[in-house]
Amino acid sequence: AQSVTQLDSHVSVSEGTPVLLRCNYSSSYSPSLFWYVQHPNKGLQLLLKYTSAATLVKGINGFEAEFKKSETSFHLTKPSAHMSDAAEYFCVVSVNSGYSTLTFGKGTMLLVSP
Amino acid sequence: DGGITQSPKYLFRKEGQNVTLSCEQNLNHDAMYWYRQDPGQGLRLIYYSQIVNDFQKGDIAEGYSVSREKKESFPLTVTSAQKNPTAFYLCASQLRGSGNTIYFGEGSWLTVV
């Protein structure tokens, strides 16, 4: 079985300051990990994914995440927040276990103030 | 363009009615999923299908039904047995394999009136 914990339900930053959204996971298998962003009343858009290649993954819009197996973490970062980054972010773990392969975190709402 | 199309975007249902949400994909994906999203609860899995003519219940299947007669289509019926159906519904698809990207539709809002 696998699980995902997003450690903050809300994160508030000022425009131009760094962003850190935290995600911890547990999995009995080697996981693939994803970060998705959701703007209001929209579907989820892929930001980046880790699939056992490089542990530092770069995504769209300046986001990146580092897979740390020893810490079972996959935190999402961005050096400088933009107003358009305000949205909800989901961490997802996927394993090929034959059952439901996708497990979602409960989401982190990112608020960006001017 | 390839993608997932959900319809309708907004739907109102009277109590006691069944309604069907459409999900079509032209990505040639094997797996398709239906999720329900409520504020503060993330996404919860309703049903999923890995292959045509086969589907499995997710965590909150009660009051819902699906079919998978074609690879491209995975409609969700919200039945009158679903006591609290007002929510945002998301359809997703994926090539089989844990590292493959999951693609989402734009979602459908269902409101009971």
Side-chain angles (χ1 to χ4, degrees), chain A residues 60-79:
Chain A
I60 62 171
N61 300 335
F63 284 95
E64 63 181 39
E66 186 172 7
F67 174 72
K68 293 187 176 181
K69 187 175 181 179
S70 60
E71 299 176 10
T72 62
S73 69
F74 190 57
H75 301 336
L76 182 70
T77 61
K78 183 173 180 177

Side-chain angles (χ1 to χ4, degrees), chain B residues 49-63:
Chain B
S49 169
Q50 302 279 12
I51 195 170
V52 174
N53 292 323
D54 187 56
F55 47 83
Q56 305 295 329
K57 292 182 179 180
D59 302 316
I60 56 164
E62 185 175 352

Side-chain angles (χ1 to χ4, degrees), chain A residues 23 25 30 39 53 75 77 84 103:
Chain A
C23 173
Y25 72 92
S30 295
H39 292 275
H75 301 336
T77 61
S84 61
T103 301

Side-chain angles (χ1 to χ4, degrees), chain A residues 1-4 25-34 50-51 67 92-104, chain B residues 31 33 35 48 50 94-100 102:
Chain A
Q2 65 266 14
S3 67
V4 176
Y25 72 92
S26 67
S27 174
S28 303
Y29 303 88
S30 295
S32 296
L33 293 157
F34 306 77
Y50 164 78
T51 57
F67 174 72
V92 183
V93 63
S94 174
V95 295
N96 192 16
S97 66
Y99 181 61
S100 172
T101 62
L102 309 176
T103 301
F104 286 77
Chain B
Y33 306 84
Y35 290 91
Y48 67 102
Q50 302 279 12
Q94 183 190 30
L95 273 174
R96 194 179 300 184
S98 63
N100 292 315
I102 309 136

Side-chain angles (χ1 to χ4, degrees), chain A residues 38 41 49:
Chain A
Q38 184 181 32
N41 298 323
K49 68 177 181 180

